[in-house]
Amino acid sequence: MLRARLTIILPLVLLLTLTLAPVATAGPKGADGDYEKAALKVCPDGEVKCVAGVLRSLRKHTAPLARTCDHDAIFAALYTIVTRTYYETVSADPNFFKSNAFVNHEDGVFAFYYLGAYEAWQEGRKAQVPRAWRIAFAAAENQELTATGNLIMGINAHVVRDLPFVLAALGLGNKDDHNQVNEILWDAYAPAITAINDHLADSIDAGDIDGTTLDNEVLFAYVTKLREQAWYDATLLVHARTPTLRKRVAAQIEAKAAAQARSYREQYAYPNDSEAGVERNAYCEANSQPVDYL
């Protein structure tokens, strides 16, 4: 059991040591996609009822993926449960953030980046899908990765790639509010991982070790690190003095996220002779109903 737990935990520990230096590339793809322009129209007034609408959209998106054991369901379920926790938090406390309205707007825009990328992928508009998402969606479609790999690939595409563009498009906002989001992530990750483990893939949960929650803490620390880097990258976008410099920064963000995605695809791939993928699908088929945990 301990070996199985460490199999999940150690790769995430190693991820914390990765350098996130920009990588040069020819130019960004997807940075100005049609769905990303449309995203800015989501929740412009930052009303809580709009966050409820975002949650409904994510549930509508995730439920069929979970019911059919689509490998994209892993990240989608995490995202939906995080959004549910976010909605519950801002509904209960209208002053949780210094500007709840701004962060509510960000929440809607951020979700639309993911949903828009997924829709573009499904409709064959792959030129509009950022490279990191293309790698993640293709790996899930081909059932190439462990459940942890699907999770990490989604987090990478959404936080390393999407988040800087979202923050920059909204004008950054307040850094204290950006950090405050981490409290919601902390509250959401344990129930999200438990739900995924119970219904979709029992290999996702490293479990508690000697009464601790080391697995959740490592995932939280990893995402917190990525969110800090995303803020830094967003400031580079905002303060780029010329369109040429902005394109260069955007290209670096795109390339970095894509490079990470390619690395994760190798790190979390099922061995050629492994039955783990077959076992995962069988487990999901036996436990995926109902989906009331979303």
Side-chain angles (χ1 to χ4, degrees):
M1 179 62 72
L2 181 58
R3 180 179 298 178
R5 290 168 177 168
L6 291 178
T7 298
I8 304 299
I9 293 170
L10 289 180
L12 291 178
V13 173
L14 292 174
L15 291 177
L16 291 174
T17 67
L18 291 174
T19 57
L20 295 174
V23 180
T25 188
K29 293 182 180 179
D32 295 304
D34 291 342
Y35 72 84
E36 292 173 316
K37 293 178 180 178
L40 292 175
K41 300 177 182 179
V42 180
C43 298
D45 297 326
E47 297 180 357
V48 174
K49 65 180 182 181
C50 188
V51 178
V54 172
L55 179 56
R56 286 193 298 272
S57 295
L58 284 168
R59 283 173 167 159
K60 182 178 179 180
H61 163 74
T62 302
L65 297 177
R67 290 193 184 98
T68 59
C69 296
D70 190 305
H71 286 202
D72 279 314
I74 303 297
F75 175 74
L78 175 80
Y79 197 8
T80 301
I81 294 171
V82 167
T83 302
R84 184 186 72 201
T85 305
Y86 177 89
Y87 172 65
E88 292 169 350
T89 301
V90 296
S91 295
D93 184 358
N95 298 306
F96 183 80
F97 298 105
K98 291 183 177 179
S99 176
N100 268 21
F102 182 93
V103 187
N104 289 346
H105 182 31
E106 178 189 337
D107 176 76
V109 174
F110 196 34
F112 200 93
Y113 266 54
Y114 163 60
L115 294 173
Y118 182 83
E119 181 179 272
W121 172 266
Q122 290 297 314
E123 294 179 353
R125 294 181 282 112
K126 296 183 180 180
Q128 292 184 14
V129 181
R131 282 173 289 168
W133 275 124
R134 291 203 300 266
I135 296 168
F137 291 147
E141 187 174 284
N142 297 328
Q143 300 192 358
E144 299 173 0
L145 306 181
T146 65
T148 300
N150 295 134
L151 185 70
I152 295 300
M153 289 276 268
I155 290 171
N156 170 69
H158 203 37
V159 179
V160 176
R161 189 273 163 194
D162 289 349
L163 186 55
F165 290 112
V166 170
L167 291 170
L170 297 175
L172 285 178
N174 186 285
K175 182 59 162 60
D176 289 340
D177 282 349
H178 181 74
N179 294 340
Q180 188 80 341
V181 171
N182 294 335
E183 291 191 21
I184 295 174
L185 297 179
W186 175 254
D187 290 340
Y189 278 173
I193 294 299
T194 297
I196 292 169
N197 186 75
D198 288 348
H199 296 277
L200 302 176
D202 62 346
S203 61
I204 195 75
D205 189 2
D208 297 347
I209 297 179
D210 296 329
T212 72
T213 55
L214 181 59
D215 52 324
N216 297 323
E217 291 172 4
V218 170
L219 179 61
F220 173 76
Y222 168 60
V223 175
T224 301
K225 180 182 179 70
L226 296 188
R227 284 177 47 77
E228 188 66 22
Q229 180 67 35
W231 180 272
Y232 173 76
D233 287 343
T235 64
L236 295 181
L237 286 169
V238 168
H239 296 298
R241 294 187 301 275
T242 66
T244 299
L245 286 176
R246 190 188 186 282
K247 287 182 179 180
R248 184 178 301 169
V249 173
Q252 290 170 343
I253 293 169
E254 297 279 3
K256 176 169 54 181
Q260 294 284 64
R262 288 190 291 269
S263 175
Y264 298 157
R265 183 175 57 193
E266 294 181 5
Q267 181 177 358
Y268 291 102
Y270 285 120
N272 291 333
D273 59 349
S274 173
E275 293 295 321
V278 175
E279 294 171 358
R280 166 185 168 182
N281 290 340
Y283 177 86
C284 180
E285 289 171 4
N287 294 279
S288 60
Q289 308 297 333
V291 293
D292 54 5
Y293 56 89
L294 296 175

